[in-house]
Amino acid sequence: MTPVLRTERLLLDPYTPEDEEAFVALFQDTRVSRWMGDGPATEAEDRALFGRVFTKVYAEGLFDVWAVRRDGRLVGHAEIKRTDEVDGHEIIYALAPEAWGSGLGTEIAEAIVAYGFADLGLTEVHATVAAPNTASLALLTRIGFAHVRDVREDDGSTTHVLTRHREQAAA
């Protein structure tokens, strides 16, 4: 069961069915979705993805997925899961554009990294970031992630793989 995490300004908790419209709006915003997975999807695909959070991810306990809320409003999305691409646990986070530039992305990333180390017992966590996503690369570098390799995507673009080791985590 995905636990509730709290930061100074945010609540990370499991999605509820009432979050569907806000989830779809977040994922349909191309300023956000261009950096996620394979990029923007149709509204129908995002609604199906939201449904799978309940029918697969939560129902089967596959990995942790959070709604990110500030003052009760959905402002982002976060997950930590094992992926073959990094051969370990990867953090994933997204924040609505109106919340950009206020340090909330750092709060989300730090919270899920700390959870990975303390609760999942991981010795390292990874992130994959599209090379042009300079804001996310800067954020991850600031909190102790280091570039370890590049992945050349089928479309010719580059994805950076970054890793943070447990000993680099704040005490």
Side-chain angles (χ1 to χ4, degrees), residues 59-81:
E60 298 177 18
L62 299 180
F63 53 90
D64 296 302
V65 177
W66 294 274
V68 178
R69 304 177 201 282
R70 181 171 189 194
D71 300 326
R73 211 172 124 260
L74 186 94
V75 296
H77 171 88
E79 20 183 298
I80 187 168
K81 64 182 177 183

Side-chain angles (χ1 to χ4, degrees), residues 23-59:
F23 175 95
V24 170
L26 177 70
F27 279 65
Q28 282 293 292
D29 189 321
T30 55
R31 294 169 294 176
V32 176
S33 60
R34 68 183 282 204
W35 305 120
M36 299 180 67
D38 294 326
T42 67
E43 181 179 336
E45 289 169 329
D46 286 338
R47 287 190 187 282
L49 175 64
F50 184 77
R52 285 192 304 276
V53 167
F54 296 94
T55 61
K56 294 285 290 172
V57 178
Y58 290 158

Side-chain angles (χ1 to χ4, degrees), residues 89-117:
H89 280 74
E90 179 178 0
I91 65 166
I92 296 162
Y93 56 90
L95 199 56
E98 61 269 17
W100 291 355
S102 59
L104 295 179
T106 300
E107 283 186 40
I108 296 168
E110 286 280 30
I112 53 181
V113 166
Y115 170 76
F117 289 150

Side-chain angles (χ1 to χ4, degrees), residues 137-157:
L137 291 167
L139 182 161
L140 292 166
T141 301
R142 233 181 4 262
I143 67 168
F145 279 78
H147 176 262
V148 292
R149 66 183 166 90
D150 289 337
V151 175
R152 190 68 158 181
E153 302 295 349
D154 292 340
D155 65 2
S157 65

Side-chain angles (χ1 to χ4, degrees), residues 158-171:
T158 299
T159 298
H160 297 306
V161 178
L162 298 96
T163 300
R164 179 167 160 186
H165 296 276
R166 185 179 206 143
E167 59 270 16
Q168 294 169 318

